[in-house]
Amino acid sequence: CIPFGVIEKDGLIYSTDATNCRIIVRNANDLTLNKVINIKGRNGKELSGLLGRLDFDINGSLWCTFLEDDHNSVIRVDEATGIIQYEFYKFRTENGQETFNYPNGIAIFNQDLNNFMVIADEYANKIRIFKIKENGKIDKDQVKEIDVGAESFPQDIKVVLEGNAYFIYATLT
């Protein structure tokens, strides 16, 4: 078990087991095992790949970065079954159609009754901001980008709200 991303929600600690494509859930008070969420495709078959970091949106949906050999994506997972409910990896920016290049960090925040997702796209050296629509899908045509500079490699990310402003903190290597 290689824990990678960790987040706490409702007295439970969720951590990605990066190389085994699963999420380990433990009770926060004594760290006893609560459950294991094995990530599965829509066909119910368990997947292999590297899980990055994770977060919850305001509706309680579990999101995670997912790194596979053939593509990198962000997934929304059914917490009860582990089945991927939604996945995205292509989106439109000022430069046209793009895909993730090793999405690593993820942070979700709510501002003015809107859910936003911030992704640290490590090998692209960018932080990408997406709006989560009411139907739980990503608005792939309204992407904001922050270029963090060549070879900065943003990894983990945190968003702090203060009034109407949000501040993005990223771990760069």
Side-chain angles (χ1 to χ4, degrees):
C1 177
I2 300 175
F4 198 60
V6 178
I7 192 161
E8 187 274 336
K9 177 188 168 215
D10 299 333
L12 297 173
I13 297 173
Y14 295 73
S15 64
T16 56
D17 180 357
T19 57
N20 291 311
C21 205
R22 64 185 183 173
I23 298 170
I24 308 295
V25 183
R26 297 188 177 276
N27 296 305
N29 60 347
D30 60 6
L31 298 181
T32 56
L33 184 65
N34 181 284
K35 64 182 169 181
V36 176
I37 305 169
N38 293 302
I39 306 302
K40 302 176 186 103
R42 290 193 176 110
N43 61 3
K45 182 181 175 188
E46 289 188 14
L47 300 177
S48 62
L50 179 66
L51 288 179
R53 291 172 172 86
L54 64 165
D55 204 353
F56 288 91
D57 66 24
I58 194 153
N59 299 316
S61 295
L62 176 60
W63 293 83
C64 189
T65 57
F66 186 54
L67 312 164
E68 284 188 293
D69 291 335
D70 59 343
H71 72 276
N72 300 306
S73 60
V74 176
I75 57 176
R76 187 180 72 224
V77 176
D78 182 309
E79 193 176 334
T81 65
I83 294 175
I84 295 174
Q85 297 175 320
Y86 179 72
E87 176 180 29
F88 79 103
Y89 52 92
K90 291 182 182 176
F91 46 89
R92 183 165 304 286
T93 68
E94 293 176 354
N95 301 322
Q97 187 81 13
E98 291 196 37
T99 58
F100 286 117
N101 191 2
Y102 207 83
N104 198 337
I106 182 171
I108 299 173
F109 69 99
N110 181 278
Q111 184 179 40
D112 299 326
L113 302 177
N114 292 302
N115 267 322
F116 293 92
M117 176 183 296
V118 182
I119 301 293
D121 200 358
E122 187 171 349
Y123 295 154
N125 295 308
K126 294 183 181 188
I127 295 171
R128 303 182 192 271
I129 305 167
F130 301 89
K131 182 178 179 185
I132 303 174
K133 298 189 280 188
E134 288 183 26
N135 64 3
K137 296 185 178 181
I138 299 298
D139 187 344
K140 296 182 241 179
D141 293 322
Q142 298 291 322
V143 181
K144 295 180 184 177
E145 294 185 308
I146 301 169
D147 192 332
V148 295
E151 299 188 27
S152 295
F153 306 115
Q155 293 181 352
D156 205 359
I157 197 153
K158 177 75 176 161
V159 176
V160 176
L161 291 172
E162 289 193 22
N164 289 330
Y166 59 90
F167 299 89
I168 299 172
Y169 297 91
T171 303
L172 306 177
T173 58

